[in-house]
């Protein structure tokens, strides 16, 4: 989010998901739609059927790569070098839209200085992508007419993430691909309401509607509406600061709503250590999870299906979700629990329903002020900005090529490529990258409790490994093995596949036994503070006695299930 | 045949709780339980289509206990080596609120970190969470797990 917010003024998808199939060229970078967002993947297939060109940049032969016109299999951790080379080709070959660059962008001279040395030949040395292919990709992208960039966590989960996002947004600026349908750039969000959580200001630097906490006029507005004398004026801490701040004795209490950081955050051992050091851990959730085992108090909340509200889709689309069944047990909605907490702390808070909360919220946010419950009901979905009673929302941003930056222009930005922090070596000779799979989701408490989805895949999850690496270690398909990094060691099961590239192995992050975040490193992007989930050094240890390994797996799994069931009777 | 069943079935229009594509579909409810999901042709992003998770991802609401049990009552332990005890809402909230106040007074509001949730709770719950952090606790230390 930080990347696009800096260069374009808005961190969300510039265009809509339905527009994907109407573009002339799809440029997919570090994004495996088939496993992460199957419905978006279908749009990609449909775009292809309608004649769009498809360029895919990914180290793995993903489904999109399989049907692509051009597949650029880059080395893991070389994103920035390749993106700089793309810009280099666009400029040096005269493929950029000079009028557009002159009228609607700024920062070209410095940008050009930075990308000048990233010739395709130079980038080939770093990324392993042939120079010829880099040139072909940019010729295809720049001459398509309408081109749409999609990127995913193959970009954002590196130590150098924000720079790469800025770089990608620059390619669309150079070619004038903004401000009309079926162009632009789209980060496709991993979880259903990542966009909404940002929209609501669950961020340390902004109130709802992306209004800065450092702006005195904004604070005054919220102070008045919320009836408090003074709101904090310093940007707050990020979630990824928690481990080190706790170590330094600066963080004492943690109120966790609907997250499982022990399972989903990098370097799980450090997260556990932080939770143990906290004086108070409050967990508010729907299921017992690994994080809740460290709590002092657990507040049971209703789940999706048991309460109503609004989600934001990745393309800024607000839509209402509804209650289908009555909750079982003595549980409450998240907002009721928070209202009780506020009241007990001396701030009386009472809402009748979600509509009352929503109405208060849109009244404070010019960006959403026209998106009433009534309108959402009537139209089904409304994409913000929706600033007036008449507005039906905004499918694409930057109409008239007016960007939401202070100057109104799009910012061209490039940075030097930085290699990933942890390098492979003799002891840890393989790269581990964490990825998604289609049947499960996030920390798995929801999908793992669904019969059909659990049958599809269960513990300890799979390690995707290229056949040449598997042969070198003497590992057969479906065999159990150990994988270790400098931080931990876990059991996993081999899936020998040549869709993975040699030298890198891939794991999904939802497993308890095969918990890849016991292995990952917390090399944070300096701006977004997102950990480097996509790159750490590991080694493999084959297991001779597979019968023992299968039994060990069963025992460990039962033990964990028992530990997590125990507090709930 | 089936007339009675049709009369009892109810369709609830909703949005998928999994990825960020924002697919809209119906949950078909019979006798207070969800029995299946059905695509919604007018869904802006999915136009009736659903993936595996959309089709089968509602089952956890039936508390299958395949992996973990649903939380049903507030749980509290007054020391970390004690077992969790079921308590009333009053006791749980009172404990959590009192301890948060104590920590705030002793170490300052910025010693407290809070999270929103990018998953099931929804925008209203996240709005209330950041309001709680800012207006009640008095800190901007509020964040969620998927921020880039």
């Amino acid at each position: 989010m930080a990347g696009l917010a800096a260069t374009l003024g808005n961190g969300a998808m510039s265009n809509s998901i339905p527009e994907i199939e109407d573009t002339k060229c799809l440029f997919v970078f570090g994004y495996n739609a088939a496993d992460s967002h199957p419905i978006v993947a279908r749009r990609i297939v449909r775009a292809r059927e309608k004649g769009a060109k498809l360029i895919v940049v990914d180290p793995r032969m993903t489904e999109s790569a399989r049907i692509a016109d051009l597949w650029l299999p880059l080395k893991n951790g070389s994103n920035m070098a390749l993106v700089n080379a793309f810009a280099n080709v666009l400029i040096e070959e005269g493929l950029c839209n000079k009028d557009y660059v002159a009228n609607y962008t700024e920062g070209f001279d410095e940008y050009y200085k930075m990308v000048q040395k990233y010739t395709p030949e130079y980038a080939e040395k770093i990324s392993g992508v042939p120079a010829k292919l880099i040139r072909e990709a940019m010729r295809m992208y720049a001459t398509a007419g309408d081109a749409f960039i999609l990127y995913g966590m193959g970009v954002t989960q590196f130590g150098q993430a924000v720079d790469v996002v800025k770089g990608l947004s620059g390619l669309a600026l150079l070619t004038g691909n903004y401000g009309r349908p079926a162009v632009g750039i789209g980060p496709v969000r991993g979880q259903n309401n990542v966009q909404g959580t940002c929209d609501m200001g669950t961020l340390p630097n902004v109130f709802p509607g992306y209004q800065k906490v450092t702006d005195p006029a904004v604070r005054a507005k919220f102070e008045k509406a919320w009836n408090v004398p003074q709101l904090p004026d310093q940007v707050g801490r990020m979630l990824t600061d928690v481990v080190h701040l706790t170590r330094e004795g600066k963080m004492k209490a943690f109120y966790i709503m609907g997250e499982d950081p022990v399972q989903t955050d990098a370097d799980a051992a450090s997260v556990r250590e932080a939770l143990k050091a906290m004086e108070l851990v409050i967990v508010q959730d729907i299921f017992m999870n690994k994080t809740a085992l460290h709590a002092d108090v657990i507040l049971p909340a209703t789940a999706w299906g048991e309460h109503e509200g609004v989600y934001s889709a990745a393309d800024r689309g607000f839509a209402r979700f509804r209650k289908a069944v009555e909750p079982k047990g003595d549980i409450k909605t998240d907002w009721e629990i928070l209202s009780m907490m506020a009241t007990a702390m001396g701030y009386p808070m009472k809402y009748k329903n979600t509509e009352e909360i929503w109405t208060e919220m849109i009244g404070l946010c010019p960006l959403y002020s026209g998106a009433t419950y009534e309108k959402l009901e009537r139209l089904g979905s409304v994409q913000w900005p929706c600033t007036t009673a008449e507005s039906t929302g905004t499918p694409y941003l930057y109409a008239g090529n007016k960007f939401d930056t202070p100057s109104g222009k799009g910012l061209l930005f490039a940075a030097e490529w930085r290699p990933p922090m942890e390098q492979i070596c003799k002891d840890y000779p393989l790269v581990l990258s964490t990825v998604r799979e289609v049947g499960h989701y996030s920390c798995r408490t929801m999908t793992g409790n669904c019969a059909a989805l659990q049958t599809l895949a269960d513990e300890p999850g799979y390690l995707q490994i290229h056949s040449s690496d598997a042969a070198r270690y003497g590992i057969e398909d479906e065999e159990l093995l150990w994988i270790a990094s400098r931080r931990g060691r876990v059991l996993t099961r081999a899936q020998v596949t040549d869709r993975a590239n040699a030298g890198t192995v891939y794991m999904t992050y939802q497993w308890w036994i095969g918990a890849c975040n016991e292995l990952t490193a917390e090399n944070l992007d300096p701006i977004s503070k997102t950990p480097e989930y996509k790159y750490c050094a590991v080694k493999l240890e084959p297991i001779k006695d597979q019968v023992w390994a299968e039994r060990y797996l069963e025992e460990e799994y039962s033990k964990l299930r028992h530990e997590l069931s125990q507090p709930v009777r | 045949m089936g007339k009675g069943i049709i009369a009892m079935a109810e369709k609830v229009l909703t949005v998928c709780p999994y990825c960020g594509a924002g697919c809209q579909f119906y949950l078909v409810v019979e006798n207070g339980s969800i029995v299946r999901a059905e695509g919604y042709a007018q869904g802006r992003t999915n136009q009736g289509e659903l993936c595996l998770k959309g089709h089968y991802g509602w089952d956890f609401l039936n508390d299958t206990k395949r992996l973990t049990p649903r939380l049903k009552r507030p749980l509290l332990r007054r020391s970390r080596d004690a077992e969790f005890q079921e308590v009333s809402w009053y006791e749980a909230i009172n404990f959590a609120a009192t301890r948060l106040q104590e920590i705030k007074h002793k170490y300052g509001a910025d010693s407290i970190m809070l999270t929103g949730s990018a998953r099931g709770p929804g925008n209203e719950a996240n709005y209330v969470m950041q309001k709680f952090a800012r207006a009640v606790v008095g800190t901007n230390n509020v964040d969620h797990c998927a921020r880039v």
Side-chain angles (χ1 to χ4, degrees), chain B residues 62-117:
Chain B
N62 296 330
D63 198 13
T64 60
K65 297 193 182 61
R66 281 176 173 265
L67 189 64
T68 43
R70 275 293 295 273
L71 293 164
K72 291 215 176 89
R73 266 164 206 82
L75 299 171
L76 175 64
R77 56 177 172 186
R78 290 180 189 274
S79 81
R80 291 274 169 90
D81 40 26
E83 304 262 299
F84 283 105
Q85 301 292 327
E86 285 186 359
V87 294
S88 68
W89 273 103
Y90 176 81
E91 195 177 347
I93 295 285
N94 197 37
F95 173 86
T98 308
R99 290 289 294 126
L100 264 188
Q101 283 289 34
E102 285 167 5
I103 288 167
K104 178 180 166 179
H105 288 141
K106 195 166 166 194
Y107 304 106
D110 289 337
S111 69
I112 299 167
M113 183 81 210
L114 306 98
T115 81
S117 172

Side-chain angles (χ1 to χ4, degrees), chain A residues 48-217:
Chain A
R48 191 79 184 75
E49 285 166 359
K50 288 184 180 178
K53 299 288 184 192
L54 177 60
I55 306 163
V56 174
V57 182
D58 204 299
R60 285 189 302 165
M61 170 64 103
T62 59
E63 271 302 289
S64 303
R66 201 174 58 78
I67 61 165
D69 292 277
L70 292 177
W71 172 40
L72 283 63
L74 81 173
K75 281 186 197 155
N76 306 66
S78 65
N79 288 349
M80 192 74 237
L82 196 55
V83 171
N84 284 344
F86 288 149
N88 179 291
V89 172
L90 291 176
I91 298 168
E92 296 295 353
E93 296 201 6
L95 292 164
C96 51
N97 181 335
K98 289 202 179 66
D99 289 342
Y100 195 94
V101 170
N103 292 325
Y104 305 119
T105 75
E106 59 189 7
F108 182 83
D109 293 343
E110 222 169 300
Y111 179 73
Y112 181 48
K113 239 183 265 166
M114 178 61 79
V115 302
Q116 222 163 2
K117 83 167 189 208
Y118 287 86
T119 60
E121 285 71 19
Y122 180 68
E124 177 176 343
K125 279 186 221 144
I126 299 168
S127 68
V129 179
K132 185 169 158 281
L133 209 49
I134 298 174
R135 289 200 171 89
E136 269 178 56
M138 278 307 100
R139 286 171 198 157
M140 190 177 275
Y141 173 74
T143 57
D146 294 331
F148 199 146
I149 300 174
L150 294 172
Y151 68 88
M153 276 165 275
V155 170
T156 56
Q157 292 184 344
F158 274 104
Q160 186 171 27
V162 173
D163 291 347
V164 176
V165 172
K166 289 178 177 172
L168 285 171
S169 72
L171 305 179
L173 284 172
L174 285 177
T175 51
N177 274 307
Y178 286 110
R180 58 183 193 276
V183 297
I185 184 162
V188 194
R189 307 298 198 166
Q191 294 166 2
N192 70 312
N193 206 32
V194 174
Q195 187 60 49
T197 317
C198 295
D199 294 348
M200 293 304 110
T202 319
L203 291 168
N205 60 335
V206 288
F207 287 103
Y210 302 96
Q211 303 172 85
K212 291 192 168 72
V213 298
T214 48
D215 182 336

Side-chain angles (χ1 to χ4, degrees), chain A residues 24 46 52 104 106 152 315 396 407 410 452 460 470 474 518 528-529 546:
Chain A
K24 302 282 193 310
R46 227 169 284 144
Y104 305 119
E106 59 189 7
D315 62 357
Y396 62 88
S407 64
E518 301 288 345
S528 74
K529 301 283 178 79
Q546 286 291 311

Side-chain angles (χ1 to χ4, degrees), chain A residues 269-319:
Chain A
S270 300
V271 177
R272 282 192 293 265
E273 178 206 317
L275 289 168
K276 280 182 193 147
M278 293 271 185
E279 291 190 14
L280 176 67
V281 176
I282 304 169
V283 165
Q284 182 169 317
D285 216 309
I286 62 173
F287 281 107
M288 260 321 273
N289 59 38
K290 282 183 176 173
T291 302
L293 290 175
H294 301 273
D296 299 288
V297 54
I298 302 174
L299 305 172
T302 52
W304 168 88
E306 297 168 342
H307 60 229
E308 62 171 356
V310 174
Y311 290 143
S312 305
D315 62 357
R316 299 169 281 104
F318 291 138

Side-chain angles (χ1 to χ4, degrees), chain A residues 281-359:
Chain A
V281 176
I282 304 169
V283 165
Q284 182 169 317
D285 216 309
I286 62 173
F287 281 107
M288 260 321 273
N289 59 38
K290 282 183 176 173
T291 302
L293 290 175
H294 301 273
D296 299 288
V297 54
I298 302 174
L299 305 172
T302 52
W304 168 88
E306 297 168 342
H307 60 229
E308 62 171 356
V310 174
Y311 290 143
S312 305
D315 62 357
R316 299 169 281 104
F318 291 138
R320 288 181 59 185
F321 62 96
R322 292 174 179 81
K323 178 174 169 174
V325 293
E326 283 303 322
K328 298 181 187 78
D330 189 10
I331 64 181
K332 295 179 187 296
T333 63
D334 288 293
W335 55 268
E336 280 175 305
I337 299 169
L338 286 161
S339 300
M340 287 164 74
M341 283 293 296
T343 306
M345 288 175 72
Y347 182 97
M349 190 189 279
K350 197 165 172 54
Y351 293 105
K352 284 198 295 289
N353 50 36
T354 51
E355 183 170 8
E356 191 182 354
I357 301 169
W358 187 259
T359 306

Side-chain angles (χ1 to χ4, degrees), chain A residues 404-426:
Chain A
D404 296 333
T405 51
S407 64
K409 293 187 173 187
L411 177 67
L412 291 164
F413 174 90
E416 289 283 1
W417 169 71
R418 288 195 309 269
M421 177 190 73
E422 191 171 87
Q423 291 298 312
I424 53 172
C425 59
K426 200 161 77 353

Side-chain angles (χ1 to χ4, degrees), chain A residues 197 201-204 236-240 242 251 253-259 278 280 282 284 338 341 345, chain B residues 100 109-117 126 128-145:
Chain A
T197 317
T202 319
L203 291 168
R237 297 302 199 148
M238 296 181 186
L239 216 40
T240 37
V242 168
M251 206 53 92
F254 201 2
Y255 189 157
I256 305 164
M257 174 173 86
E259 301 214 334
M278 293 271 185
L280 176 67
I282 304 169
Q284 182 169 317
L338 286 161
M341 283 293 296
M345 288 175 72
Chain B
L100 264 188
D110 289 337
S111 69
I112 299 167
M113 183 81 210
L114 306 98
T115 81
S117 172
N126 280 296
V128 175
M129 175 48 101
Q130 61 83 39
K131 180 176 178 179
F132 176 78
R134 294 183 162 118
V136 184
V137 177
T139 182
N140 284 316
N141 293 347
V142 60
D143 197 5
H144 65 108
C145 74

